[in-house]
Amino acid sequence: IVGGAACSSIISTEDYRNLVNQGSTILTNSASLEIFKGSRIFDWQHRGLVKFMAVANARPLLQSSNNWNAFALDHNGRPLAEIAPIASADVEIRANNKITPYTYLGEWVALIGGIWLASDLLKQYATRLRGKSRS
């Protein structure tokens, strides 16, 4: 089952989580990236987001675009193929139906971890202040 999203959906973690929760076993993203042509920073950021979506949801992800390389990643974020614009390639994709904790819970785990870390740091800071005021 192909879960297709377009363009800026790659920055919306909820879009891909919803597709997986609706039964998608392969994810796709198609975008017109011509405006970013030649930007190494955008390329690095975009590939990081695509890899995150593939790994976090344990799904292969196929990226197609206008005037930018197209590529395929497996469910572990490993590259399977990459082609320049106006080219083609055969790629064998293995669908995956495993559900990750991220797919179930989303950003809550990171949010709770951040709150816990902040709380712990505040407690340590308060303890340190109490110790200095006594001396």
Side-chain angles (χ1 to χ4, degrees), residues 56-120:
N57 294 294
R59 298 291 184 272
L61 201 147
L62 310 174
Q63 170 68 57
S64 66
S65 59
N66 175 35
N67 209 5
W68 201 277
N69 286 358
F71 54 90
L73 302 176
D74 70 7
H75 68 281
N76 288 315
R78 289 185 295 251
L80 298 173
E82 182 169 346
I83 57 171
I86 313 175
S88 64
D90 291 329
V91 180
E92 185 176 324
I93 301 294
R94 294 186 183 170
N96 192 16
N97 59 5
K98 294 179 183 176
I99 300 293
T100 65
Y102 175 82
T103 303
Y104 278 126
L105 304 172
E107 313 296 321
W108 286 105
V109 174
L111 181 61
I112 291 168
I115 291 169
W116 186 359
L117 177 63
S119 170
D120 193 43

Side-chain angles (χ1 to χ4, degrees), residues 8-27:
S8 61
S9 280
I10 202 66
I11 63 173
S12 174
T13 56
E14 288 300 308
D15 287 357
Y16 285 96
R17 283 185 56 242
N18 287 335
L19 289 170
V20 172
N21 283 323
Q22 292 169 12
S24 297
T25 56
I26 296 172
L27 301 174

